[in-house]
């Protein structure tokens, strides 16, 4: 059973940066594509970024040019570097893992972390 634990969230001002980390255990990390999702107040969960097993990235249009996803298979960790944060980035951010082809569809992710809160003040 794969377990995912997110860290790195917090309260920052608009324009600041944060780096989220997601540590995986209990499985073979390099076999999974990984994604970051978020759910803001009163909103549905949406994909933010994802990275394939071969480290090809995907970004939602809303974060392109500001966020960077990366993975370190030696550390069983996926990262989300978030720059130029905006108040609309405020959400609970979730890490997820999948072992089927594709990157975008949330329902196809098998493993989920508990989430970490990111709050961006204006």
């Amino acid at each position: 059973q794969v377990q995912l634990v997110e860290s790195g969230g917090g309260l920052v001002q608009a324009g600041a940066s944060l780096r989220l980390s997601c540590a995986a255990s209990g499985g073979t990390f390099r076999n999974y594509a990984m994604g970051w999702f978020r759910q803001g107040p009163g909103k549905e969960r949406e994909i933010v970024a994802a990275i394939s097993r071969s480290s090809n990235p995907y970004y939602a249009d809303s974060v392109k040019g500001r966020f960077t996803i990366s993975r370190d298979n030696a550390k069983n960790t996926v990262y989300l570097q978030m720059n130029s944060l905006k108040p609309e980035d405020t959400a609970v951010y979730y890490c997820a893992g999948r072992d089927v082809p594709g990157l975008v569809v949330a329902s196809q992710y098998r493993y989920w972390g508990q989430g970490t809160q990111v709050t961006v003040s204006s």
Side-chain angles (χ1 to χ4, degrees), residues 8 12-20 66 80-85:
V12 297
Q13 291 189 330
S17 298
L18 281 175
R19 188 175 82 156
L20 305 183
R66 299 189 297 123
L80 185 67
Q81 177 67 44
M82 305 187 295
N83 299 329
S84 302
L85 283 161

Side-chain angles (χ1 to χ4, degrees), residues 33-77:
M34 302 298 296
W36 285 97
F37 292 78
R38 68 186 180 188
Q39 187 165 16
K43 298 181 180 180
E44 294 186 354
R45 188 173 298 190
E46 63 177 357
I47 189 168
V48 176
I51 189 165
S52 70
R53 292 183 298 173
S54 57
S55 295
N56 292 316
Y58 165 88
Y59 298 99
D61 288 343
S62 59
V63 306
K64 280 181 181 176
R66 299 189 297 123
F67 291 10
T68 303
I69 189 170
S70 61
R71 65 188 298 160
D72 186 336
N73 289 342
K75 296 182 178 180
N76 292 347
T77 301

Side-chain angles (χ1 to χ4, degrees), residues 102-113:
L103 290 176
V104 177
V105 179
S107 62
Q108 294 176 342
Y109 282 80
R110 180 181 296 189
Y111 306 108
W112 291 84

